[in-house]
Amino acid sequence: MENRINPADVPKKKLYTGEEIPSVGLGTFGSDKYTPEQVSNAVYGAILSGYRLIDCGSVYQNEDRIGEALQRVFSETGIKREELFITSKVWNDMHREVAKSCKKSLKDLRLNDIDLYFVHWPFPNYHAPGCSGDSRNPDSKPFSVDEFMDTWRQCEELVEKGMVRYIGMSNMTIPKLEAVLPLCKIKPAALELECHPGFQQPELFEYALSHGIQPIGYCPIGSPSRPERDRTSEDVADTQMPEIVEIASAHQVHPAVVCLKWAVQRGQIPIPFSVKEPQYISNLKCVTEDPLTEEEMDRIRKADKNCRLIKGQVFLWQGAAGWEDLWDLDGKITGA
């Protein structure tokens, strides 16, 4: 492949054990727009082009096809399993049956272990894939430390049994982390959070780093293909922010490239999604060359719009005031 990027040239981030992992991964949440086959073909092509970190999730409904792509990689190339870093996640409806969920992901992905396994959302509030933004499950409840820790204990057992190597949290807030981190036997290696120039979450980002937890940023270019239910009229498009557009022009690159360079230089691991070969190659190659200047990094920092795109409103409980209740904006766990 003529556009192949040498994985050794991709910057690395360190987990708390000292293990290094790539600073860019391929996301596999195809929103509502791409088939599992399209996503799995992208995984295959991305690994051949130099990706070594693949971010999966059981709710994405494509892990079985990704498993086929991984087997193709192992059988057709010299790339070995231990060269890849594969993540997956337990979905909200399986918080009481984490081992069962993990076993299904292992079977679907055709792996003996998963490198990093996340609790996808911090509560068991379930919604059907593809449901509308107005959907509410009558069984949904506010965050519970006890229920979350029950789920986390099951994740710790996965590590003890050798089914996963690391465990992580996702879509958390500082108040939630403050409540659960002291209770963990095995601490989270990573925290997945929405992170892009228009929504930088500086306090949560710094909190994670200060606790030795690696931030992994989803929606790193503002998720232009996210489901309609997650869109509102106030949303800011990162690739249209004047600061991003002007910096992109100065570097003669697409604005999306600036978002990814910023993410890696700032210290998070972006996991951009693309099924198009030129895009996913560009997404990886761009972090190996032509870095942003300190002045450009500072300009982007100051451009933060605090615009959350993935609001999570489908997970609200009866009596919740609005999506803001999921994110503990007043510094306390809402409804607990």
Side-chain angles (χ1 to χ4, degrees):
M1 182 177 287
E2 63 185 68
N3 284 317
R4 184 180 180 276
I5 298 100
N6 184 345
D9 293 340
V10 177
K12 305 295 186 292
K13 299 282 186 273
K14 275 189 181 176
L15 302 180
Y16 67 79
T17 58
E19 179 175 348
E20 291 188 329
I21 66 172
S23 64
V24 176
L26 183 77
T28 62
F29 174 41
S31 303
D32 300 341
K33 302 193 173 183
Y34 298 99
T35 66
E37 185 174 33
Q38 286 175 296
V39 175
S40 66
N41 286 339
V43 168
Y44 177 79
I47 294 172
L48 264 57
S49 64
Y51 281 82
R52 293 296 179 263
L53 170 60
I54 309 294
D55 181 78
C56 306
S58 59
V59 77
Y60 305 158
Q61 299 180 297
N62 55 23
E63 287 189 329
D64 54 339
R65 300 306 298 271
I66 291 172
E68 293 172 10
L70 294 176
Q71 284 306 305
R72 278 183 66 202
V73 168
F74 301 144
S75 64
E76 296 175 10
T77 76
I79 298 168
K80 297 180 173 61
R81 163 66 184 103
E82 54 269 25
E83 295 177 53
L84 301 183
F85 197 90
I86 309 291
T87 79
S88 187
K89 311 176 187 77
V90 58
W91 185 240
N92 306 10
D93 60 337
M94 295 297 282
H95 277 204
R96 308 278 77 82
E97 297 182 276
V98 176
K100 183 178 177 182
S101 175
C102 184
K103 282 175 184 170
K104 183 172 192 312
S105 286
L106 286 167
K107 181 170 178 282
D108 287 346
L109 292 167
R110 303 192 188 191
L111 299 175
N112 294 322
D113 62 12
I114 289 168
D115 295 295
L116 173 55
Y117 196 65
F118 290 95
V119 180
H120 203 149
W121 286 82
F123 25 64
N125 303 348
Y126 176 73
H127 76 88
C131 70
S132 78
D134 299 326
S135 295
R136 297 289 177 272
N137 185 326
D139 298 327
S140 292
K141 296 189 294 253
F143 178 80
S144 157
V145 171
D146 289 344
E147 286 208 356
F148 182 86
M149 287 311 301
D150 175 76
T151 303
W152 191 252
R153 292 281 178 255
Q154 296 174 66
C155 291
E156 291 173 333
E157 287 175 15
L158 299 179
V159 178
E160 290 159 2
K161 290 174 180 172
M163 295 166 67
V164 307
R165 297 176 54 234
Y166 295 99
I167 47 180
M169 299 178 186
S170 182
N171 295 302
M172 294 289 274
T173 63
I174 292 175
K176 291 183 177 78
L177 289 168
E178 294 269 275
V180 302
L181 286 180
L183 306 175
C184 297
K185 286 190 298 185
I186 300 175
K187 79 178 210 174
L191 175 71
E192 279 208 7
L193 68 161
E194 180 182 337
C195 220
H196 44 92
F199 189 61
Q200 299 181 21
Q201 301 213 70
E203 295 86 3
L204 181 58
F205 178 81
E206 292 299 334
Y207 183 91
L209 287 180
S210 71
H211 286 77
I213 301 169
Q214 173 60 49
I216 297 181
Y218 68 78
C219 302
I221 55 174
S223 192
S225 61
R226 68 190 181 281
E228 288 298 325
R229 67 170 180 267
D230 290 325
R231 297 169 187 261
T232 64
S233 56
E234 314 84 68
D235 291 350
V236 173
D238 293 76
T239 53
Q240 293 169 14
M241 288 168 61
E243 300 85 353
I244 300 297
V245 171
E246 288 166 23
I247 293 169
S249 177
H251 287 259
Q252 298 185 306
V253 296
H254 190 282
V257 161
V258 173
C259 296
L260 296 174
K261 287 178 183 288
W262 167 80
V264 171
Q265 290 178 228
R266 185 194 188 209
Q268 70 237 30
I269 296 174
I271 44 172
F273 168 80
S274 177
V275 298
K276 301 181 176 95
E277 185 178 282
Q279 287 180 356
Y280 62 67
I281 288 175
S282 169
N283 290 347
L284 186 63
K285 189 169 189 286
C286 74
V287 304
T288 68
E289 59 191 12
D290 186 29
L292 303 181
T293 67
E294 285 184 27
E295 291 79 10
E296 288 167 337
M297 289 293 293
D298 197 51
R299 191 174 176 208
I300 296 173
R301 179 183 64 79
K302 292 173 180 171
D304 190 0
K305 302 288 188 288
N306 195 30
C307 176
R308 186 185 292 278
L309 300 176
I310 306 301
K311 298 172 177 66
Q313 65 272 26
V314 290
F315 304 124
L316 286 171
W317 51 90
Q318 295 297 127
W323 62 264
E324 294 85 355
D325 284 0
L326 298 165
W327 304 106
D328 308 333
L329 299 186
D330 62 356
K332 300 192 299 289
I333 296 174
T334 306

